[in-house]
Amino acid sequence: MPSPEDHSTNPKNSGSGFSTKFALPKVLLVGTEIHGTNSQSLSASLSELEGLAETADYDTKAQMTQKLSRVHPGHFLGKGKLDELKVAVEHHEVEAVIFDEALSPTQNRNLEKILCCRVFDRPALILEIFSRHARSRTAKTQVELARLKYELPRLSKMWSHLSRQRGGIGMRDVGETQIQLDRRLIRGRITKLERKLKRLETEKHTQNKRRQETYTVSLVGYTNVGKSSLMNHLTSAGALAEDKLFATLDATVRKIRKNYPYPILLADTVGLIDKLPHDLVASFKSTLDEVRTADLLLKVVDLSHPHYREQMQVADSLLAELEADKIASILIFNKIDAVDDPAIEKDALSRYPDALFVSCKTGEGMDPLKTEIDKCYESEMISWRLELDYIQMKSMPEIRKRCIIVEEEYGAEGAVLHLKLFPHSQNQLRQLLNLK
């Protein structure tokens, strides 16, 4: 699989203080429409692949498409299209060919032999981008684990020195090949990373215990729909917001500043995308737990994207896979300032009458969104009429921490409080006040 270090011509690798023009690695993209399997249209999926290639600093020189009734087990494409692809590779002098679909190790090896250049697929490209953007210990561990699991069955194409090793003291096997040694080393590294990830998940679970009783809202949606920008508007978090795919990998949690007994926490999570590598989904389980354990989901959609409805379908499918499709949610159409045709917004409004329309660039629609979040928060609360004598009134500071006092009535022997609070807060106050 290619790595960022392979890009010796990448401007980011230069430490000079003056501007120099660098040539990015040239690639050719191959998109296919396989009968009965594609979740997006061919053009949408290929356009997204080009965006991924651009994020990884590749220069797309050409694209090629084919509709397939079935995939060739040896080299994915039909023979005629494969010959056409070989001519295109030579003509454009590309350094690599990127397939939009996942390739088997055998297909990968055969294609490289036929095309005489590097060949990799969409999962490999996504893994490369994740490797670049990982910042925290957890994200780096998750990405490395997914990358090694991806590379393990593909090791044979990475080595030419497969001669037998001489047996002897300290050798695992007599006559063990280099490929066997490499596989054993990678399996050992995978085991260590899995253990490390479990420790990190345990640490995170311990930290999250402190906010289990806090109302949590998670931003979810397709990659590059503006989730981080929306978070910055709602919390002044200063989160990284770039017009790039997967600019955010680590879950960022910030407080929505409201005068509530419990703060509302807002979590920004990794973006979703079609054909996300299975190992990557498994590795990012702890990060995506922010979605599964949320009280409310803000489903963000880029209304200016020409294929926004297909992106919504992919996001909903992945949320169902994460068992998060039953959580209460607010549908938010973002980037309305970038929508040129008023008919697009009108159509979305007719299809999704309960959705909110916002613009992180202009700030339009932010106040109605905050109001809706408040409503969802308060809808989880219950009303409670609490009678206190004056001895119990010494607990008022603790009561104020755990609920909203709607009304206070004072009499000769005590007070009656009309409260709005969460069920777990009611249980805590019962114990605090020794109530049955």
Side-chain angles (χ1 to χ4, degrees), residues 44-76:
S45 189
L46 197 57
S47 175
E48 190 171 85
L49 184 66
E50 185 174 3
L52 288 168
E54 181 181 349
T55 301
D57 292 326
Y58 289 111
D59 180 17
T60 301
K61 304 305 292 186
Q63 298 181 0
M64 184 172 289
T65 61
Q66 184 180 29
K67 294 185 178 182
L68 297 170
S69 58
R70 67 180 184 88
V71 172
H72 191 285
H75 38 71
F76 197 86

PDB file of all heavy atoms in Angstrom, residues 44-76:
ATOM      1  N   ALA A  44     -20.982   9.525  -9.274  1.00  0.00           N
ATOM      2  CA  ALA A  44     -20.817  10.052  -7.917  1.00  0.00           C
ATOM      3  C   ALA A  44     -19.670   9.369  -7.199  1.00  0.00           C
ATOM      4  O   ALA A  44     -18.856  10.016  -6.540  1.00  0.00           O
ATOM      5  CB  ALA A  44     -22.105   9.883  -7.132  1.00  0.00           C
ATOM      6  N   SER A  45     -19.595   8.059  -7.335  1.00  0.00           N
ATOM      7  CA  SER A  45     -18.549   7.304  -6.658  1.00  0.00           C
ATOM      8  C   SER A  45     -17.173   7.648  -7.216  1.00  0.00           C
ATOM      9  O   SER A  45     -16.194   7.786  -6.470  1.00  0.00           O
ATOM     10  CB  SER A  45     -18.810   5.798  -6.801  1.00  0.00           C
ATOM     11  OG  SER A  45     -17.933   5.050  -5.998  1.00  0.00           O
ATOM     12  N   LEU A  46     -17.083   7.804  -8.530  1.00  0.00           N
ATOM     13  CA  LEU A  46     -15.801   8.133  -9.154  1.00  0.00           C
ATOM     14  C   LEU A  46     -15.380   9.563  -8.808  1.00  0.00           C
ATOM     15  O   LEU A  46     -14.188   9.843  -8.601  1.00  0.00           O
ATOM     16  CB  LEU A  46     -15.896   7.950 -10.674  1.00  0.00           C
ATOM     17  CG  LEU A  46     -14.566   7.849 -11.434  1.00  0.00           C
ATOM     18  CD1 LEU A  46     -13.722   6.706 -10.886  1.00  0.00           C
ATOM     19  CD2 LEU A  46     -14.826   7.636 -12.918  1.00  0.00           C
ATOM     20  N   SER A  47     -16.350  10.461  -8.733  1.00  0.00           N
ATOM     21  CA  SER A  47     -16.057  11.832  -8.334  1.00  0.00           C
ATOM     22  C   SER A  47     -15.521  11.867  -6.907  1.00  0.00           C
ATOM     23  O   SER A  47     -14.586  12.622  -6.586  1.00  0.00           O
ATOM     24  CB  SER A  47     -17.319  12.687  -8.447  1.00  0.00           C
ATOM     25  OG  SER A  47     -17.105  13.989  -7.952  1.00  0.00           O
ATOM     26  N   GLU A  48     -16.101  11.040  -6.053  1.00  0.00           N
ATOM     27  CA  GLU A  48     -15.624  10.954  -4.672  1.00  0.00           C
ATOM     28  C   GLU A  48     -14.217  10.366  -4.612  1.00  0.00           C
ATOM     29  O   GLU A  48     -13.375  10.813  -3.817  1.00  0.00           O
ATOM     30  CB  GLU A  48     -16.584  10.092  -3.865  1.00  0.00           C
ATOM     31  CG  GLU A  48     -16.343  10.099  -2.383  1.00  0.00           C
ATOM     32  CD  GLU A  48     -17.478   9.397  -1.661  1.00  0.00           C
ATOM     33  OE1 GLU A  48     -17.436   8.158  -1.541  1.00  0.00           O
ATOM     34  OE2 GLU A  48     -18.413  10.095  -1.219  1.00  0.00           O
ATOM     35  N   LEU A  49     -13.958   9.372  -5.435  1.00  0.00           N
ATOM     36  CA  LEU A  49     -12.619   8.779  -5.495  1.00  0.00           C
ATOM     37  C   LEU A  49     -11.584   9.822  -5.911  1.00  0.00           C
ATOM     38  O   LEU A  49     -10.468   9.854  -5.384  1.00  0.00           O
ATOM     39  CB  LEU A  49     -12.602   7.594  -6.470  1.00  0.00           C
ATOM     40  CG  LEU A  49     -11.282   6.822  -6.563  1.00  0.00           C
ATOM     41  CD1 LEU A  49     -10.985   6.115  -5.242  1.00  0.00           C
ATOM     42  CD2 LEU A  49     -11.316   5.820  -7.704  1.00  0.00           C
ATOM     43  N   GLU A  50     -11.960  10.687  -6.844  1.00  0.00           N
ATOM     44  CA  GLU A  50     -11.049  11.751  -7.269  1.00  0.00           C
ATOM     45  C   GLU A  50     -10.774  12.714  -6.104  1.00  0.00           C
ATOM     46  O   GLU A  50      -9.641  13.183  -5.931  1.00  0.00           O
ATOM     47  CB  GLU A  50     -11.639  12.517  -8.451  1.00  0.00           C
ATOM     48  CG  GLU A  50     -10.694  13.557  -9.031  1.00  0.00           C
ATOM     49  CD  GLU A  50     -11.229  14.217 -10.292  1.00  0.00           C
ATOM     50  OE1 GLU A  50     -12.371  13.902 -10.704  1.00  0.00           O
ATOM     51  OE2 GLU A  50     -10.508  15.041 -10.877  1.00  0.00           O
ATOM     52  N   GLY A  51     -11.813  12.987  -5.306  1.00  0.00           N
ATOM     53  CA  GLY A  51     -11.624  13.828  -4.131  1.00  0.00           C
ATOM     54  C   GLY A  51     -10.692  13.187  -3.114  1.00  0.00           C
ATOM     55  O   GLY A  51      -9.855  13.859  -2.505  1.00  0.00           O
ATOM     56  N   LEU A  52     -10.818  11.877  -2.949  1.00  0.00           N
ATOM     57  CA  LEU A  52      -9.917  11.153  -2.051  1.00  0.00           C
ATOM     58  C   LEU A  52      -8.481  11.207  -2.560  1.00  0.00           C
ATOM     59  O   LEU A  52      -7.537  11.402  -1.783  1.00  0.00           O
ATOM     60  CB  LEU A  52     -10.369   9.695  -1.915  1.00  0.00           C
ATOM     61  CG  LEU A  52     -11.652   9.440  -1.108  1.00  0.00           C
ATOM     62  CD1 LEU A  52     -12.137   8.017  -1.314  1.00  0.00           C
ATOM     63  CD2 LEU A  52     -11.429   9.719   0.370  1.00  0.00           C
ATOM     64  N   ALA A  53      -8.313  11.030  -3.868  1.00  0.00           N
ATOM     65  CA  ALA A  53      -6.975  11.092  -4.462  1.00  0.00           C
ATOM     66  C   ALA A  53      -6.359  12.472  -4.278  1.00  0.00           C
ATOM     67  O   ALA A  53      -5.162  12.610  -3.979  1.00  0.00           O
ATOM     68  CB  ALA A  53      -7.050  10.724  -5.942  1.00  0.00           C
ATOM     69  N   GLU A  54      -7.167  13.502  -4.430  1.00  0.00           N
ATOM     70  CA  GLU A  54      -6.676  14.873  -4.246  1.00  0.00           C
ATOM     71  C   GLU A  54      -6.262  15.112  -2.799  1.00  0.00           C
ATOM     72  O   GLU A  54      -5.236  15.744  -2.525  1.00  0.00           O
ATOM     73  CB  GLU A  54      -7.765  15.868  -4.646  1.00  0.00           C
ATOM     74  CG  GLU A  54      -7.342  17.329  -4.525  1.00  0.00           C
ATOM     75  CD  GLU A  54      -8.464  18.284  -4.899  1.00  0.00           C
ATOM     76  OE1 GLU A  54      -9.489  17.823  -5.441  1.00  0.00           O
ATOM     77  OE2 GLU A  54      -8.314  19.486  -4.630  1.00  0.00           O
ATOM     78  N   THR A  55      -7.057  14.585  -1.857  1.00  0.00           N
ATOM     79  CA  THR A  55      -6.719  14.712  -0.439  1.00  0.00           C
ATOM     80  C   THR A  55      -5.393  14.031  -0.129  1.00  0.00           C
ATOM     81  O   THR A  55      -4.624  14.497   0.712  1.00  0.00           O
ATOM     82  CB  THR A  55      -7.841  14.104   0.424  1.00  0.00           C
ATOM     83  OG1 THR A  55      -9.066  14.784   0.158  1.00  0.00           O
ATOM     84  CG2 THR A  55      -7.528  14.219   1.910  1.00  0.00           C
ATOM     85  N   ALA A  56      -5.119  12.925  -0.818  1.00  0.00           N
ATOM     86  CA  ALA A  56      -3.865  12.181  -0.609  1.00  0.00           C
ATOM     87  C   ALA A  56      -2.727  12.724  -1.462  1.00  0.00           C
ATOM     88  O   ALA A  56      -1.661  12.111  -1.537  1.00  0.00           O
ATOM     89  CB  ALA A  56      -4.088  10.700  -0.911  1.00  0.00           C
ATOM     90  N   ASP A  57      -2.936  13.858  -2.127  1.00  0.00           N
ATOM     91  CA  ASP A  57      -1.913  14.526  -2.946  1.00  0.00           C
ATOM     92  C   ASP A  57      -1.498  13.707  -4.169  1.00  0.00           C
ATOM     93  O   ASP A  57      -0.310  13.561  -4.474  1.00  0.00           O
ATOM     94  CB  ASP A  57      -0.671  14.868  -2.107  1.00  0.00           C
ATOM     95  CG  ASP A  57      -0.967  15.934  -1.072  1.00  0.00           C
ATOM     96  OD1 ASP A  57      -1.789  16.827  -1.357  1.00  0.00           O
ATOM     97  OD2 ASP A  57      -0.393  15.870   0.021  1.00  0.00           O
ATOM     98  N   TYR A  58      -2.488  13.181  -4.866  1.00  0.00           N
ATOM     99  CA  TYR A  58      -2.253  12.544  -6.161  1.00  0.00           C
ATOM    100  C   TYR A  58      -2.837  13.433  -7.262  1.00  0.00           C
ATOM    101  O   TYR A  58      -3.838  14.123  -7.047  1.00  0.00           O
ATOM    102  CB  TYR A  58      -2.904  11.160  -6.235  1.00  0.00           C
ATOM    103  CG  TYR A  58      -2.230  10.110  -5.371  1.00  0.00           C
ATOM    104  CD1 TYR A  58      -2.866   9.600  -4.245  1.00  0.00           C
ATOM    105  CD2 TYR A  58      -0.960   9.640  -5.693  1.00  0.00           C
ATOM    106  CE1 TYR A  58      -2.252   8.633  -3.454  1.00  0.00           C
ATOM    107  CE2 TYR A  58      -0.336   8.671  -4.907  1.00  0.00           C
ATOM    108  CZ  TYR A  58      -0.999   8.185  -3.790  1.00  0.00           C
ATOM    109  OH  TYR A  58      -0.380   7.240  -3.009  1.00  0.00           O
ATOM    110  N   ASP A  59      -2.225  13.381  -8.409  1.00  0.00           N
ATOM    111  CA  ASP A  59      -2.677  14.152  -9.570  1.00  0.00           C
ATOM    112  C   ASP A  59      -3.399  13.210 -10.533  1.00  0.00           C
ATOM    113  O   ASP A  59      -2.772  12.366 -11.168  1.00  0.00           O
ATOM    114  CB  ASP A  59      -1.472  14.800 -10.268  1.00  0.00           C
ATOM    115  CG  ASP A  59      -1.885  15.611 -11.500  1.00  0.00           C
ATOM    116  OD1 ASP A  59      -3.084  15.922 -11.618  1.00  0.00           O
ATOM    117  OD2 ASP A  59      -1.002  15.915 -12.333  1.00  0.00           O
ATOM    118  N   THR A  60      -4.717  13.335 -10.608  1.00  0.00           N
ATOM    119  CA  THR A  60      -5.512  12.457 -11.476  1.00  0.00           C
ATOM    120  C   THR A  60      -5.367  12.903 -12.924  1.00  0.00           C
ATOM    121  O   THR A  60      -5.777  14.009 -13.290  1.00  0.00           O
ATOM    122  CB  THR A  60      -6.990  12.480 -11.065  1.00  0.00           C
ATOM    123  OG1 THR A  60      -7.115  12.049  -9.704  1.00  0.00           O
ATOM    124  CG2 THR A  60      -7.813  11.565 -11.956  1.00  0.00           C
ATOM    125  N   LYS A  61      -4.805  12.036 -13.768  1.00  0.00           N
ATOM    126  CA  LYS A  61      -4.592  12.361 -15.177  1.00  0.00           C
ATOM    127  C   LYS A  61      -5.708  11.840 -16.079  1.00  0.00           C
ATOM    128  O   LYS A  61      -5.943  12.380 -17.160  1.00  0.00           O
ATOM    129  CB  LYS A  61      -3.257  11.769 -15.665  1.00  0.00           C
ATOM    130  CG  LYS A  61      -2.038  12.198 -14.851  1.00  0.00           C
ATOM    131  CD  LYS A  61      -1.904  13.700 -14.757  1.00  0.00           C
ATOM    132  CE  LYS A  61      -1.563  14.351 -16.093  1.00  0.00           C
ATOM    133  NZ  LYS A  61      -1.294  15.796 -15.940  1.00  0.00           N
ATOM    134  N   ALA A  62      -6.381  10.779 -15.653  1.00  0.00           N
ATOM    135  CA  ALA A  62      -7.431  10.195 -16.498  1.00  0.00           C
ATOM    136  C   ALA A  62      -8.345   9.317 -15.653  1.00  0.00           C
ATOM    137  O   ALA A  62      -7.981   8.916 -14.541  1.00  0.00           O
ATOM    138  CB  ALA A  62      -6.814   9.387 -17.629  1.00  0.00           C
ATOM    139  N   GLN A  63      -9.531   9.053 -16.185  1.00  0.00           N
ATOM    140  CA  GLN A  63     -10.484   8.165 -15.547  1.00  0.00           C
ATOM    141  C   GLN A  63     -10.994   7.154 -16.561  1.00  0.00           C
ATOM    142  O   GLN A  63     -11.067   7.430 -17.748  1.00  0.00           O
ATOM    143  CB  GLN A  63     -11.672   8.955 -14.983  1.00  0.00           C
ATOM    144  CG  GLN A  63     -11.318   9.952 -13.905  1.00  0.00           C
ATOM    145  CD  GLN A  63     -12.541  10.684 -13.387  1.00  0.00           C
ATOM    146  OE1 GLN A  63     -13.667  10.441 -13.838  1.00  0.00           O
ATOM    147  NE2 GLN A  63     -12.338  11.575 -12.425  1.00  0.00           N
ATOM    148  N   MET A  64     -11.346   5.984 -16.065  1.00  0.00           N
ATOM    149  CA  MET A  64     -11.884   4.945 -16.938  1.00  0.00           C
ATOM    150  C   MET A  64     -13.009   4.238 -16.188  1.00  0.00           C
ATOM    151  O   MET A  64     -12.919   4.008 -14.981  1.00  0.00           O
ATOM    152  CB  MET A  64     -10.783   3.952 -17.313  1.00  0.00           C
ATOM    153  CG  MET A  64     -11.233   2.884 -18.299  1.00  0.00           C
ATOM    154  SD  MET A  64      -9.828   1.881 -18.876  1.00  0.00           S
ATOM    155  CE  MET A  64      -8.987   3.085 -19.901  1.00  0.00           C
ATOM    156  N   THR A  65     -14.092   3.937 -16.887  1.00  0.00           N
ATOM    157  CA  THR A  65     -15.234   3.287 -16.248  1.00  0.00           C
ATOM    158  C   THR A  65     -15.658   2.044 -17.018  1.00  0.00           C
ATOM    159  O   THR A  65     -15.387   1.910 -18.218  1.00  0.00           O
ATOM    160  CB  THR A  65     -16.438   4.252 -16.165  1.00  0.00           C
ATOM    161  OG1 THR A  65     -16.825   4.625 -17.508  1.00  0.00           O
ATOM    162  CG2 THR A  65     -16.091   5.494 -15.376  1.00  0.00           C
ATOM    163  N   GLN A  66     -16.309   1.134 -16.315  1.00  0.00           N
ATOM    164  CA  GLN A  66     -16.877  -0.059 -16.960  1.00  0.00           C
ATOM    165  C   GLN A  66     -18.029  -0.592 -16.122  1.00  0.00           C
ATOM    166  O   GLN A  66     -17.950  -0.616 -14.890  1.00  0.00           O
ATOM    167  CB  GLN A  66     -15.822  -1.157 -17.127  1.00  0.00           C
ATOM    168  CG  GLN A  66     -16.385  -2.374 -17.888  1.00  0.00           C
ATOM    169  CD  GLN A  66     -15.369  -3.492 -18.068  1.00  0.00           C
ATOM    170  OE1 GLN A  66     -14.469  -3.671 -17.267  1.00  0.00           O
ATOM    171  NE2 GLN A  66     -15.519  -4.261 -19.150  1.00  0.00           N
ATOM    172  N   LYS A  67     -19.082  -1.000 -16.806  1.00  0.00           N
ATOM    173  CA  LYS A  67     -20.190  -1.662 -16.136  1.00  0.00           C
ATOM    174  C   LYS A  67     -19.976  -3.167 -16.233  1.00  0.00           C
ATOM    175  O   LYS A  67     -19.719  -3.696 -17.312  1.00  0.00           O
ATOM    176  CB  LYS A  67     -21.518  -1.266 -16.789  1.00  0.00           C
ATOM    177  CG  LYS A  67     -21.860   0.205 -16.596  1.00  0.00           C
ATOM    178  CD  LYS A  67     -23.239   0.534 -17.149  1.00  0.00           C
ATOM    179  CE  LYS A  67     -23.578   2.009 -16.903  1.00  0.00           C
ATOM    180  NZ  LYS A  67     -24.926   2.355 -17.391  1.00  0.00           N
ATOM    181  N   LEU A  68     -20.073  -3.833 -15.076  1.00  0.00           N
ATOM    182  CA  LEU A  68     -19.778  -5.267 -15.028  1.00  0.00           C
ATOM    183  C   LEU A  68     -20.979  -6.058 -14.536  1.00  0.00           C
ATOM    184  O   LEU A  68     -21.643  -5.656 -13.577  1.00  0.00           O
ATOM    185  CB  LEU A  68     -18.593  -5.536 -14.088  1.00  0.00           C
ATOM    186  CG  LEU A  68     -17.229  -4.937 -14.451  1.00  0.00           C
ATOM    187  CD1 LEU A  68     -16.266  -5.101 -13.287  1.00  0.00           C
ATOM    188  CD2 LEU A  68     -16.670  -5.606 -15.701  1.00  0.00           C
ATOM    189  N   SER A  69     -21.245  -7.161 -15.196  1.00  0.00           N
ATOM    190  CA  SER A  69     -22.263  -8.078 -14.689  1.00  0.00           C
ATOM    191  C   SER A  69     -21.669  -8.980 -13.614  1.00  0.00           C
ATOM    192  O   SER A  69     -22.346  -9.426 -12.693  1.00  0.00           O
ATOM    193  CB  SER A  69     -22.828  -8.933 -15.828  1.00  0.00           C
ATOM    194  OG  SER A  69     -21.781  -9.656 -16.473  1.00  0.00           O
ATOM    195  N   ARG A  70     -20.352  -9.233 -13.732  1.00  0.00           N
ATOM    196  CA  ARG A  70     -19.639  -9.996 -12.710  1.00  0.00           C
ATOM    197  C   ARG A  70     -18.171  -9.585 -12.726  1.00  0.00           C
ATOM    198  O   ARG A  70     -17.657  -9.083 -13.738  1.00  0.00           O
ATOM    199  CB  ARG A  70     -19.763 -11.507 -12.957  1.00  0.00           C
ATOM    200  CG  ARG A  70     -19.068 -12.001 -14.211  1.00  0.00           C
ATOM    201  CD  ARG A  70     -19.230 -13.502 -14.393  1.00  0.00           C
ATOM    202  NE  ARG A  70     -18.480 -13.973 -15.557  1.00  0.00           N
ATOM    203  CZ  ARG A  70     -17.212 -14.338 -15.511  1.00  0.00           C
ATOM    204  NH1 ARG A  70     -16.551 -14.286 -14.373  1.00  0.00           N
ATOM    205  NH2 ARG A  70     -16.597 -14.766 -16.601  1.00  0.00           N
ATOM    206  N   VAL A  71     -17.503  -9.794 -11.618  1.00  0.00           N
ATOM    207  CA  VAL A  71     -16.088  -9.432 -11.481  1.00  0.00           C
ATOM    208  C   VAL A  71     -15.215 -10.598 -11.906  1.00  0.00           C
ATOM    209  O   VAL A  71     -15.464 -11.748 -11.517  1.00  0.00           O
ATOM    210  CB  VAL A  71     -15.774  -9.042 -10.019  1.00  0.00           C
ATOM    211  CG1 VAL A  71     -14.279  -8.849  -9.812  1.00  0.00           C
ATOM    212  CG2 VAL A  71     -16.529  -7.778  -9.634  1.00  0.00           C
ATOM    213  N   HIS A  72     -14.187 -10.314 -12.715  1.00  0.00           N
ATOM    214  CA  HIS A  72     -13.246 -11.371 -13.107  1.00  0.00           C
ATOM    215  C   HIS A  72     -12.401 -11.745 -11.888  1.00  0.00           C
ATOM    216  O   HIS A  72     -11.790 -10.875 -11.259  1.00  0.00           O
ATOM    217  CB  HIS A  72     -12.334 -10.881 -14.236  1.00  0.00           C
ATOM    218  CG  HIS A  72     -11.536 -11.978 -14.871  1.00  0.00           C
ATOM    219  ND1 HIS A  72     -10.438 -12.550 -14.259  1.00  0.00           N
ATOM    220  CD2 HIS A  72     -11.676 -12.613 -16.066  1.00  0.00           C
ATOM    221  CE1 HIS A  72      -9.926 -13.479 -15.036  1.00  0.00           C
ATOM    222  NE2 HIS A  72     -10.665 -13.545 -16.149  1.00  0.00           N
ATOM    223  N   PRO A  73     -12.350 -13.021 -11.515  1.00  0.00           N
ATOM    224  CA  PRO A  73     -11.633 -13.416 -10.300  1.00  0.00           C
ATOM    225  C   PRO A  73     -10.130 -13.169 -10.358  1.00  0.00           C
ATOM    226  O   PRO A  73      -9.485 -12.999  -9.321  1.00  0.00           O
ATOM    227  CB  PRO A  73     -11.931 -14.911 -10.175  1.00  0.00           C
ATOM    228  CG  PRO A  73     -12.288 -15.352 -11.565  1.00  0.00           C
ATOM    229  CD  PRO A  73     -12.960 -14.181 -12.201  1.00  0.00           C
ATOM    230  N   GLY A  74      -9.560 -13.126 -11.581  1.00  0.00           N
ATOM    231  CA  GLY A  74      -8.113 -12.982 -11.709  1.00  0.00           C
ATOM    232  C   GLY A  74      -7.628 -11.556 -11.789  1.00  0.00           C
ATOM    233  O   GLY A  74      -6.613 -11.194 -11.178  1.00  0.00           O
ATOM    234  N   HIS A  75      -8.360 -10.708 -12.556  1.00  0.00           N
ATOM    235  CA  HIS A  75      -7.890  -9.336 -12.718  1.00  0.00           C
ATOM    236  C   HIS A  75      -9.022  -8.315 -12.714  1.00  0.00           C
ATOM    237  O   HIS A  75      -8.884  -7.236 -13.285  1.00  0.00           O
ATOM    238  CB  HIS A  75      -7.041  -9.194 -13.984  1.00  0.00           C
ATOM    239  CG  HIS A  75      -7.537  -9.989 -15.149  1.00  0.00           C
ATOM    240  ND1 HIS A  75      -8.672  -9.674 -15.844  1.00  0.00           N
ATOM    241  CD2 HIS A  75      -7.034 -11.124 -15.726  1.00  0.00           C
ATOM    242  CE1 HIS A  75      -8.850 -10.551 -16.821  1.00  0.00           C
ATOM    243  NE2 HIS A  75      -7.881 -11.444 -16.767  1.00  0.00           N
ATOM    244  N   PHE A  76     -10.132  -8.649 -12.094  1.00  0.00           N
ATOM    245  CA  PHE A  76     -11.265  -7.761 -11.822  1.00  0.00           C
ATOM    246  C   PHE A  76     -11.996  -7.332 -13.098  1.00  0.00           C
ATOM    247  O   PHE A  76     -13.186  -7.535 -13.240  1.00  0.00           O
ATOM    248  CB  PHE A  76     -10.802  -6.515 -11.043  1.00  0.00           C
ATOM    249  CG  PHE A  76     -11.940  -5.778 -10.384  1.00  0.00           C
ATOM    250  CD1 PHE A  76     -12.376  -6.147  -9.130  1.00  0.00           C
ATOM    251  CD2 PHE A  76     -12.582  -4.721 -11.016  1.00  0.00           C
ATOM    252  CE1 PHE A  76     -13.426  -5.492  -8.509  1.00  0.00           C
ATOM    253  CE2 PHE A  76     -13.634  -4.056 -10.415  1.00  0.00           C
ATOM    254  CZ  PHE A  76     -14.053  -4.439  -9.152  1.00  0.00           C
TER     255      PHE A  76
END
